[in-house]
Amino acid sequence: MASESSVPPCCAASRPASEPRPVALSAPPARGDRPLKGMILLEGGVFRMGNEDELANPFDGEGPVREVKVAPFRIDPTTVTNAQFARFVKETGYVTEAERFGWSYVFHLRLPPEVAANTPAPDGTPWWRAVEGACWRAPEGPGSDVRRSQKHPVVHVSWNDAAAYAAWAGKRLPTETEWEFAARGGLDQAVYPWGDELFPRGQRRCNIWQGQGVFPDHHDGVPGPVAADSYRPNAYGLYNTVGNVWEWCDGWFDEARDRRSMRGGSFLCDDSYCNRYRVAARTANTPDSSSGNTGFRCAADA
Ligand SMILES: [Ca+2]
């Protein structure tokens, strides 16, 4: 597949192309109340987008660094939470693609070892397990729930699910340009939303892989999402752009137009494997794929 040569495997895994597709759902109606409450209004302007230094992944299209003009827009301070997504499902009856396919990808260390050992893993990304029944309301499959993680990012949502939520909320997904402008928080060409040091004065500022060992097997605890408003926000007030969960954006990754862009990296990012928790980094997945480390935040016109 051409897309595999253009992007080395990241932590994302796609639904097998051979799997029969469920019938597409019609879009739920917009909810029609005050959708912009709580959003951050950014005035836009010209900024230097992308990265081409030694940290850049040459096949990802991070570079070249270019000056880009951004019109004013609004963006959510956090990714959409389980509580917010639950309201959407309650009001519309929406059924996510993970539920309609009947499974989604769960990181192996989030499962009991005997379950992980007996659940199929995709080629190329052996740390994922295709777990039957895993979905946004049961992130580790049957028996799991989100009762104690209402403020955590909703996960196991596809790009199509994210776009449906955004339309219902009277919003939209951010473009990659908007996402990067917002995530940079006004810093010119910094590596992270807070500067160039990963741990300024020893402080942990984002939820990425934690462990003395290396991805994907040695972690200090159980790798997973934290509350969407964890850690300090950047200078524009955005939380967890880098780390926690990948965020779907409104655009195609490249001219092949088969995969949607994702930004920001996730709790699985670790230098031992992949440095895509930088603010300029990109990756992608097919629009009906879902996993336990991908969510989204919404944007809107100013
Ligand atoms: Ca993120």
Side-chain angles (χ1 to χ4, degrees), residues 10-11 179 207-208 240-247 262-269 274-278 281-283 293-294:
C10 193
C11 54
W179 190 95
N207 179 24
I208 55 174
N240 289 302
T241 46
V242 157
N244 213 24
V245 293
W246 281 102
E247 300 175 25
M262 296 158 33
R263 300 295 295 257
S266 81
F267 60 85
L268 295 181
C269 288
C274 158
N275 68 1
R276 289 188 180 88
Y277 51 88
R278 294 168 297 103
R282 314 173 67 216
T283 199
N293 72 334
T294 301

